[in-house]
Amino acid sequence: MFHAGGASYDLFMGRYSAPLAAEFVDALNPVAGQQVLDVGCGPGALTSALATRLGPAAVAACDPSPGFVDECAKRNPGVEVQVGKAEAIPFTDARFDLAAAQLVLHFVANAPAAADELRRGVRPGGTVAACVWDAEREMDVLRAFWDAVHEVDPDVSDTTRELRFGRPGEIARLFVDADLVDINETTIEVHTTYVDFDEVWTGFQAGIGPAGAHCVALPALQQALLRDRLYEQLGSPPGPITLTAVARSVTAVREVP
């Protein structure tokens, strides 16, 4: 689901992750002189926002996909980018003032291990942060997609409502279990405008994430039916369409001994 190139990712999720990264960084408010880490960087939306704020020498990043690592490094010269999972961050203990994971906890195999690794990566007094798509307010585009999928095949599971850590308190509890303190939770709302419905549909055909993987795995006839139902779910837009996504953001602190 996450081995496509950066351009394919941008078609589908990058148009949301880039504005989300800008808002996320504004909320975290890192300051000059701090060292920061982007965990699960993908092609580099959050990495770029951090590098713009602090300069590339202050930023490191990791991702389990070698293709995304290469793309992130190419887009962010001077940032140290390594292959590595959130459950096994490839950087030394207590190196960073801030470790952040954007749109990652939905997909990690071992979330408690990832939380422990985020804590390990920051200095005492350092900040750990994560944001994921909110499971209650969701993304307009994914909600419409899965509603359309159910019209074509009612037996298909709705993975948008199965994504972990998108409900109030879920990330907070994960961070408490990782012995983090001073936990704060909020939401971030972002918007994107598509030129037309064809641009929406092209994003799903990139095959990114559970929705894209489901789309491209369908036979041609079912894809055509799904396209028609999605068009109707989005109100049969004749031209540009603006859609909203809401993320749940949580910060915590590694306690000073």
Side-chain angles (χ1 to χ4, degrees), residues 12-21 23-24 102-103 106 131-144 160 163 166 186-194 234 241-249:
F12 181 58
M13 193 56 65
R15 64 190 309 129
Y16 294 94
S17 61
L20 176 61
E23 295 286 343
F24 193 28
Q102 175 174 296
L103 306 181
H106 283 322
C131 68
V132 298
W133 295 125
D134 186 275
E136 295 180 341
R137 296 177 64 187
E138 303 181 289
M139 300 177 71
D140 288 346
V141 71
L142 287 182
R143 182 175 58 250
T160 63
L163 291 175
T186 188
T187 56
I188 301 171
E189 184 173 302
V190 295
H191 311 272
T192 188
T193 298
Y194 297 85
L234 292 174
I241 176 172
T242 298
L243 300 177
T244 299
V246 179
R248 186 160 294 278
S249 171

Side-chain angles (χ1 to χ4, degrees), residues 93-201:
D93 294 0
R95 172 175 166 180
F96 301 98
D97 299 286
L98 165 68
Q102 175 174 296
L103 306 181
V104 173
L105 291 181
H106 283 322
F107 304 108
V108 296
N110 187 335
D116 288 341
E117 281 290 273
L118 287 165
R119 178 186 180 277
R120 179 186 66 79
V122 299
R123 303 179 179 101
T127 298
V128 167
C131 68
V132 298
W133 295 125
D134 186 275
E136 295 180 341
R137 296 177 64 187
E138 303 181 289
M139 300 177 71
D140 288 346
V141 71
L142 287 182
R143 182 175 58 250
F145 176 85
W146 290 112
D147 286 347
V149 167
H150 291 155
E151 289 188 31
V152 176
D153 184 353
D155 294 329
V156 172
S157 172
D158 181 349
T159 59
T160 63
R161 292 169 176 83
E162 294 174 359
L163 291 175
R164 297 171 299 160
F165 303 109
R167 290 176 174 79
E170 289 183 327
I171 298 176
R173 287 190 291 272
L174 182 71
F175 283 176
V176 167
D177 291 343
D179 295 325
L180 294 162
V181 298
D182 295 340
I183 294 169
N184 289 287
E185 184 167 354
T186 188
T187 56
I188 301 171
E189 184 173 302
V190 295
H191 311 272
T192 188
T193 298
Y194 297 85
V195 173
D196 53 23
F197 174 76
D198 286 340
E199 190 172 28
V200 178
W201 182 245

